[in-house]
Amino acid sequence: MMAGRVIAAHGRHYQVELDDGQLRQCYTRGKKTGICVGDYVDIEPQGQDEGRIERVHERRNLLYRSDEMRAKQFAANVDQLLIVVAVEPLFSEDLTGRALAGAFSADITPVIILNKCDLAESLPRARALLSDMNALGVRIIETSTLQPQALRDSLLPLLANKTSLLLGQSGMGKSSILNILVPEARADTQEHSIALGTGKHTTTSSRLYHLPGADGDLIDSPGFQAFGLKHLGQTEVEQGFPEFAHTARIADSIIARTGTNPVVGCWQPKNRG
Ligand SMILES: Nc1nc2c(ncn2[C@@H]2O[C@H](COP(=O)(O)OP(=O)(O)O)[C@@H](O)[C@H]2O)c(=O)[nH]1
Ligand SMILES: [Mg+2]
């Protein structure tokens, strides 16, 4: 048996990086599914470069979304969720709130990256939309891929010694950011696809990359247009939305003064650190 980590998943084929750096194409025994990028596994080597996944180690966490029909896993064993939003096209507040709620409930630290900050005219509007997120204690980092060195300087220290997951709606600049942080990724951006006339630029599956010159991993994920939270209770969902945080702060202060909870059944105040 050899231990490793799943760095890519395509259907039921998994690319596993073994502890010694060796890469193997792996599959599972029988119909076992549900393994995802970031999972630590034990494999039984098969031939030169294949293997069979025999065991999935217990996960520290798992980020996923779910709707009426099914659950979709983003990644496992993640320290940090980087939610990429852009000045233009303007991001969805609802999706951002849902991603935040998903991260909080999975015990993953969210960070918002506001990209395309070179678009000065629309920047104030995007900043105003995000200012409420401060109420949730979420760190916001402003970037522009037109200034790659500044982008590296502000993001790389944050990524050291951690596994971070890049998530965002398509068009926000995820692939462009990934290419600056991990040049060997050579992720297709919208620009490439327009130049090539292929119209095909979307990342279709998640993949884990090592940051060059630093200990830290970055997982790229397909863009998302939905973030169902069927698996969470209302209280957990509300934790991603500043308007509820406002209610919670008022509730917390009333509790501190009077010892009674004014919003029983609506919000369970919680120590959010
Ligand atoms: N002005 C500006 N455009 C950007 C920036 N980052 C990405 N873009 C452009 O936005 C489009 C979408 O970028 P892409 O990386 O493909 O986004 P993704 O769909 O989130 O992976 C492309 O045309 C990029 O060139 C930025 O910081 N500033
Ligand atoms: Mg992309």
Side-chain angles (χ1 to χ4, degrees), residues 84 86 88-89 114-119 143-147 151 168-179 187-194 201-203 220-221 223:
V84 183
E88 255 173 45
L114 176 57
N115 189 39
K116 308 198 195 184
C117 285
D118 52 281
L119 302 174
T143 60
S144 164
T145 59
L146 304 187
Q147 302 203 339
L151 186 146
Q169 296 163 259
S170 64
M172 302 286 114
K174 250 175 346 108
S175 299
S176 307
I177 291 173
L178 175 68
N179 286 338
D188 283 349
T189 61
Q190 250 172 45
E191 233 149 47
H192 292 140
S193 60
I194 290 167
H201 66 274
T202 44
T203 311
D220 185 29
S221 67

Side-chain angles (χ1 to χ4, degrees), residues 120-259:
E121 213 167 292
S122 310
L123 181 57
R125 183 184 54 166
R127 278 185 177 148
L129 270 184
L130 286 179
S131 66
D132 284 351
M133 303 288 175
N134 285 324
L136 299 172
V138 179
R139 188 156 167 203
I140 297 165
I141 297 177
E142 299 190 348
T143 60
S144 164
T145 59
L146 304 187
Q147 302 203 339
Q149 192 52 48
L151 186 146
R152 271 185 222 108
D153 290 344
S154 51
L155 291 184
L156 282 178
L158 194 76
L159 305 181
N161 305 310
K162 294 196 180 89
T163 297
S164 305
L165 170 65
L166 266 180
L167 198 70
Q169 296 163 259
S170 64
M172 302 286 114
K174 250 175 346 108
S175 299
S176 307
I177 291 173
L178 175 68
N179 286 338
I180 291 172
L181 297 174
V182 186
E184 62 138 43
R186 279 184 232 103
D188 283 349
T189 61
Q190 250 172 45
E191 233 149 47
H192 292 140
S193 60
I194 290 167
L196 296 171
T198 58
K200 184 169 153 284
H201 66 274
T202 44
T203 311
T204 50
S205 59
S206 300
R207 179 169 199 100
L208 182 147
Y209 298 94
H210 302 301
L211 292 162
D215 254 345
D217 299 315
L218 191 56
I219 301 175
D220 185 29
S221 67
F224 65 111
Q225 303 302 337
F227 202 116
L229 294 170
K230 263 315 244 192
H231 55 294
L232 300 189
Q234 188 184 340
T235 307
E236 286 176 294
V237 174
E238 286 170 355
Q239 286 178 23
F241 292 85
E243 51 272 41
F244 293 107
H246 180 65
T247 314
R249 266 203 319 280
I250 295 170
D252 285 347
S253 75
I254 294 175
I255 291 164
R257 271 185 288 122
T258 67

Side-chain angles (χ1 to χ4, degrees), residues 21-194:
Q22 205 190 124
L23 294 178
R24 282 187 181 253
Q25 289 305 127
C26 295
Y27 51 90
T28 55
R29 203 194 266 284
K31 287 203 165 52
K32 186 170 166 46
T33 54
I35 297 169
C36 71
V37 171
D39 268 328
Y40 292 99
V41 294
D42 292 334
I43 69 153
E44 192 63 54
Q46 311 277 313
Q48 277 304 302
D49 42 29
E50 297 192 348
R52 190 173 64 212
I53 297 177
E54 298 290 341
R55 191 170 84 86
V56 181
H57 295 213
E58 197 181 326
R59 291 170 175 151
R60 190 151 41 83
N61 57 40
L62 171 68
L63 188 75
Y64 69 107
R65 63 185 169 86
S66 57
D67 56 30
E68 309 288 346
M69 304 302 290
R70 59 188 186 141
K72 168 136 181 39
Q73 302 175 328
F74 287 116
N77 303 310
V78 172
D79 300 300
Q80 197 161 245
L81 176 65
L82 309 177
I83 305 170
V84 183
V85 300
V87 169
E88 255 173 45
L90 195 60
F91 59 94
S92 153
E93 279 182 281
D94 180 59
L95 277 175
T96 307
R98 286 166 172 273
L100 287 175
F104 287 138
S105 71
D107 221 7
I108 298 169
T109 307
V111 175
I112 293 177
I113 298 177
L114 176 57
N115 189 39
K116 308 198 195 184
C117 285
D118 52 281
L119 302 174
E121 213 167 292
S122 310
L123 181 57
R125 183 184 54 166
R127 278 185 177 148
L129 270 184
L130 286 179
S131 66
D132 284 351
M133 303 288 175
N134 285 324
L136 299 172
V138 179
R139 188 156 167 203
I140 297 165
I141 297 177
E142 299 190 348
T143 60
S144 164
T145 59
L146 304 187
Q147 302 203 339
Q149 192 52 48
L151 186 146
R152 271 185 222 108
D153 290 344
S154 51
L155 291 184
L156 282 178
L158 194 76
L159 305 181
N161 305 310
K162 294 196 180 89
T163 297
S164 305
L165 170 65
L166 266 180
L167 198 70
Q169 296 163 259
S170 64
M172 302 286 114
K174 250 175 346 108
S175 299
S176 307
I177 291 173
L178 175 68
N179 286 338
I180 291 172
L181 297 174
V182 186
E184 62 138 43
R186 279 184 232 103
D188 283 349
T189 61
Q190 250 172 45
E191 233 149 47
H192 292 140
S193 60
I194 290 167

